[in-house]
Amino acid sequence: MATSAPGEPRSSEATGASEGRYRGFPATDGPAPSRHGLSALDASAMTPLKPIPSRRKAALGIAFFALFVAAWSVATFGGFVSKTFLADPLTMLQEGWALFAQFGFAGDIAITVWRVIAGFVLAAMFAVPLGIAMGAYKPVEAFFEPFVSFARYLPASAFIPLLILWAGIGEMQKLLVIFIGSFFQVVLMVAVTVGATRRDLVEAAYTLGASSRGVVRRVLLPSAAPAIAETLRLVLGWAWTYVIVAELIGASSGIGHMITDSQALLNTGQIIFGIIVIGVIGLVSDFLFKWANQRFFPWSLS
Amino acid sequence: MSKLSIDGVSRTFPAVRGGEPTVALQPTTLAIGDNDFITILGPSGCGKSTLLRIVAGLDAPTAGRVVLDGMPVTGPGADRGMVFQSYTLFPWLTVRQNICFGLREKAMPQSQQDEIAAHYIDRVGLAGFEHHYPKMLSGGMQQRTAIARALANDPKILLLDEPFGALDNQTRSLMQELLLGIWEAEKKTVLFVTHDIEEAIFMAGRVVVMSARPGRIKTEVAVDLAHPRHYTVKTTPGFSALKARLTEEIRVEALKVAAAA
């Protein structure tokens, strides 16, 4: 949909025009001389800000993963690091399989994912409206902003002992850790986003007869929506850190709990597998968010 | 009885950090009749945009008042449509949704909105682009949509703040003809701010020349060129004489600005 407008010349800032801007550079099209894409690192490819073909981009991204695993393999299979401290990739995979087959790890993943989503949704439900109110109405901002700015530097993990005291070691305590960790961040970032709405758009809305409420509903909200979604994507990543920390202490289920258990047994393979699973889930949620943003905000220049 | 009267309107911006307060606009009085096309011509920094923003209600005068159809202006409203120099289409709305913005705010039924939008989309030559987002449009197309958006609201007066200032020369000329054509066909009261002398003469029934900072009205020049005006009017002797006269007036002001800087 966002590709080309027939007829009239388009503004140069429109997407898609960017390809042509680089016509002056030495051609990088055509078959890549090297399969793994490292030829992209030759001198002409290292021109600042010059885009690269999407296939080469993917190849480069995968190349680093391969390099990383290779270095890990050399360190472990080569006997440079003791098995006690670091499992090799194969052991890690075997342990991972055992986790699923024998120890019901799928249940741990499910409970952790549930905690993150529940805690995060809870935080977003309160934080986004408050952030919007602060961004739109300066008295509201003046009232809350100093406290929120202070509260956002309180480390969520330091609240865990208190939260155990208040809420026990049940689900509520895990959700509260995530809530505290995400809430203030989201409030502040949403407030800044809404407050930065282009003034000329607001003025245009007023001259079209919009009321104050109309300006909030029909200008501030839609204008800030893509950036708010981006904020949520970012903070969801942090929520993953908080949930694991919460599960390391006083939990009887979840990925974090499995990691503490494995630590007691010195099973580094399981620990690494657990960490990788968290990374993969994070990556998937990131993709989902990006996909949803592009779908819901096709007008946005992202 | 004039449609819009500007009575002794002035604007002084408060002092910043011990400096002197800035007088952007000296007391200004101007009467605009029904269906007049007035251009306000002046060098940059002459307060012409400030005056327009006060009429729009986006800025408050330090003294004086603006009266539209007997009602004093106290804030922005749908009875004064505005087109800005910067591109102010709502990026999340399509061309048609942008044009319907004010109509929706009035809670007009959708079918009626669509009818009005279709009329103005056709008027500004954007048929086929109804469902495009602003970022897919050229600057000229965006400003045409902005004009359609303001007109769709059927305002009592249309205010334009250098709307074609960011466009290239060719597009600019076409836009002038387009706007003039709409005015000749639909008869609107228009207040058009520009620093382009040719643009000011071509469009206007009356050119109001403003002096350099602090801004005030220096002189008014009636443009007695017949309507409908074709772009070829720009090469007629009558047009050239007006251009020569206004060039002289503006040059004096521009020199003052340069000397003060």
Side-chain angles (χ1 to χ4, degrees):
Chain A
M1 169 98 210
T3 44
S4 85
E8 291 243 357
R10 301 164 352 131
S11 54
S12 63
E13 67 266 28
T15 49
S18 57
E19 289 287 323
R21 228 185 293 160
Y22 294 93
R23 287 272 158 74
F25 287 104
T28 52
D29 296 349
S34 159
R35 285 181 68 89
H36 50 70
L38 287 179
S39 64
L41 298 179
D42 65 40
S44 75
M46 287 307 232
T47 312
L49 302 184
K50 186 188 167 194
I52 58 171
S54 58
R55 283 182 66 184
R56 183 163 300 171
K57 188 176 163 191
L60 281 170
I62 292 166
F64 187 78
F65 270 102
L67 208 67
F68 182 81
V69 174
W72 178 15
S73 303
V74 168
T76 49
F77 291 127
F80 297 105
V81 180
S82 156
K83 279 201 168 210
T84 317
F85 296 112
L86 184 63
D88 59 69
L90 273 182
T91 313
M92 187 273 295
L93 284 176
Q94 280 163 5
E95 292 293 348
W97 175 249
L99 275 175
F100 280 113
Q102 299 164 29
F103 302 106
F105 188 49
D108 281 317
I109 293 177
I111 192 87
T112 301
V113 169
W114 182 84
R115 282 169 184 155
V116 171
I117 292 176
F120 181 73
V121 167
L122 204 66
M125 252 167 49
F126 292 98
V128 171
L130 180 60
I132 290 169
M134 282 170 62
Y137 302 106
K138 294 304 151 190
V140 179
E141 184 175 38
F143 186 62
F144 286 113
E145 202 268 342
F147 181 80
V148 173
S149 294
F150 155 75
R152 127 182 129 111
Y153 285 105
L154 304 178
S157 41
F159 274 89
I160 292 175
L162 261 186
L163 291 174
I164 290 176
L165 192 66
W166 293 340
I169 55 168
E171 291 308 302
M172 188 47 109
Q173 176 252 336
K174 315 288 184 289
L175 299 193
L176 282 175
V177 174
I178 296 166
F179 186 90
I180 290 177
S182 326
F183 178 81
F184 299 105
Q185 308 284 353
V186 174
V187 168
L188 225 56
M189 287 160 85
V190 169
V192 168
T193 301
V194 173
T197 305
R198 279 172 55 193
R199 290 294 180 274
D200 55 351
L201 294 185
V202 173
E203 291 186 339
Y206 277 127
T207 63
L208 290 166
S211 59
S212 295
R213 267 194 59 211
V215 165
V216 174
R217 216 163 39 85
R218 296 186 62 201
V219 181
L220 299 192
L221 282 187
S223 151
I228 290 176
E230 190 62 18
T231 296
L232 293 177
R233 182 175 76 83
L234 209 71
V235 176
L236 181 62
W238 303 345
W240 269 97
T241 314
Y242 301 129
V243 76
I244 300 303
V245 173
E247 287 178 348
L248 290 176
I249 305 165
S252 53
S253 58
I255 301 175
H257 170 251
M258 182 283 285
I259 290 175
T260 359
D261 264 7
S262 308
Q263 182 198 13
L265 302 169
L266 279 182
N267 191 331
T268 51
Q270 288 185 356
I271 295 178
I272 293 167
F273 186 77
I275 292 171
I276 288 175
V277 165
I278 296 168
V280 169
I281 296 174
L283 206 63
V284 170
S285 80
D286 223 51
F287 266 120
L288 288 178
F289 249 105
K290 276 184 185 160
W291 173 81
N293 284 3
Q294 277 167 8
R295 209 187 127 77
F296 289 125
F297 311 117
W299 52 270
S300 173
L301 286 168
S302 59
Chain B
M1 164 93 198
S2 54
K3 180 96 176 163
L4 180 87
S5 58
I6 298 169
D7 293 333
V9 164
S10 68
R11 182 72 171 100
T12 305
F13 290 105
V16 183
R17 283 184 179 263
E20 290 291 302
T22 311
V23 181
L25 192 63
Q26 285 184 336
T28 298
T29 298
L30 184 66
I32 296 165
D34 208 10
N35 295 339
D36 273 1
F37 197 130
I38 307 287
T39 51
I40 299 181
L41 176 67
S44 46
C46 73
K48 57 192 192 297
S49 287
T50 304
L51 181 62
L52 200 72
R53 287 176 58 83
I54 290 172
V55 174
L58 295 171
D59 198 355
T62 308
R65 62 176 197 159
V66 177
V67 178
L68 177 64
D69 266 351
M71 295 282 290
V73 165
T74 53
D79 55 349
R80 282 148 292 139
M82 178 119 172
V83 179
F84 299 79
Q85 177 175 9
S86 62
Y87 301 132
T88 58
L89 295 184
F90 304 112
W92 55 90
L93 299 179
T94 62
V95 166
R96 186 164 70 188
Q97 289 168 333
N98 262 289
I99 293 173
C100 290
F101 187 94
L103 305 177
R104 219 183 118 185
E105 201 64 22
K106 288 179 189 164
M108 182 183 281
Q110 188 63 51
S111 58
Q112 213 176 330
Q113 288 186 29
D114 289 345
E115 209 176 295
I116 293 175
H119 170 74
Y120 283 105
I121 284 169
D122 191 48
R123 206 85 194 73
V124 299
L126 283 175
F129 292 93
E130 293 92 335
H131 303 294
H132 283 60
Y133 286 104
K135 72 164 178 178
M136 299 152 76
L137 304 177
S138 68
M141 292 166 89
Q142 292 201 39
Q143 288 307 68
R144 278 190 267 158
T145 310
I147 291 170
R149 181 175 69 174
L151 286 172
N153 247 359
D154 193 22
K156 290 177 182 165
I157 184 167
L158 186 62
L159 310 170
L160 300 105
D161 188 5
E162 304 200 31
F164 312 143
L167 304 177
D168 61 82
N169 258 326
Q170 288 70 30
T171 311
R172 202 182 165 101
S173 306
L174 293 175
M175 295 287 288
Q176 291 166 5
E177 289 175 58
L178 178 96
L179 182 63
L180 196 60
I182 291 174
W183 179 80
E184 283 164 350
E186 310 211 348
K187 288 298 168 193
K188 277 272 166 205
T189 311
V190 179
L191 194 53
F192 188 112
V193 161
T194 181
H195 63 254
D196 185 313
I197 295 167
E198 215 171 83
E199 180 168 88
I201 303 168
F202 180 64
M203 317 273 295
R206 185 152 55 108
V207 179
V208 174
V209 181
M210 289 189 68
S211 73
R213 193 174 291 160
R216 61 180 180 81
I217 292 177
K218 188 183 180 194
T219 179
E220 289 186 32
V221 179
V223 181
D224 296 318
L225 300 168
H227 287 282
R229 282 181 201 161
H230 193 240
Y231 70 92
T232 48
V233 78
K234 290 182 182 175
T235 52
T236 60
F239 192 96
S240 301
L242 279 169
K243 191 175 169 185
R245 181 175 162 199
L246 287 171
T247 304
E248 202 51 49
E249 299 271 11
I250 288 295
R251 188 180 150 77
V252 174
E253 298 308 323
L255 284 174
K256 273 194 228 164
V257 173

